[in-house]
Amino acid sequence: MKLQTIHLNVNDQMHTVTVRTGDTLLYTIREKLGLTGAKPGCLNRDCGACTINVDGWPMKSCLMMAVEGPGKQITTIEGLKNTQIQQAFVEHFAFQCGYCTPGFIMNCHSLILKKPDADDPMIKEWLESNICRCTSYSEIEKAIKSALAKNKHHSN
Ligand code: FES
Ligand code: FES
């Protein structure tokens, strides 16, 4: 398979990596950059455990090729530090085993960035792209609602 050297902006740091054309972004950030927060689950766009942000939007990194990454701003859970959404997940006990949690947090982070006025139906629809097998979705919804409310309060 053809090898290509590419430059990726991940968490505001430039990385030079050599990848195969068929390498997914998920594989590349985990195995080449050592950023293991994004998790492999279904590898088939169903579970959302691999969710990262690309230019602020949620992206299932098992679906995106690494060679599509240059020129984009990529954020992984390791790039979020002390955000309200992380705090809200802790405060609302919105996880148990934690395997799905980085993906949920990245998805919720995008919602706050892109749809800060999201109402309940939009929140429910937005969260449909991620699957949790062991905690209650109501805690996750409470966490995102509280982070959205705090975000609104700070931006007013
Ligand atoms: S591993 Fe990417 S959606 Fe499940
Ligand atoms: S907390 Fe275990 S899968 Fe979500």
Side-chain angles (χ1 to χ4, degrees), residues 13-86:
Q13 281 191 335
M14 290 308 295
H15 298 267
T16 302
V17 278
T18 300
V19 296
R20 296 166 295 191
T21 43
D23 285 344
T24 63
L25 196 54
L26 175 65
Y27 170 83
T28 305
I29 58 177
R30 286 179 59 85
E31 304 299 330
K32 298 280 176 79
L33 306 186
L35 299 169
T36 56
K39 301 292 185 230
C42 64
L43 300 180
N44 191 33
R45 83 168 183 203
D46 289 326
C47 73
C50 64
T51 305
I52 60 170
N53 290 16
V54 176
D55 294 336
W57 292 98
M59 169 59 68
K60 290 176 174 170
S61 60
C62 70
L63 283 188
M64 183 170 165
M65 294 294 122
V67 292
E68 297 176 291
K72 306 208 163 63
Q73 192 165 1
I74 296 164
T75 310
T76 69
I77 190 77
E78 289 87 350
L80 298 193
K81 296 272 187 285
N82 302 319
T83 54
Q84 278 160 0
I85 187 63
Q86 287 170 301

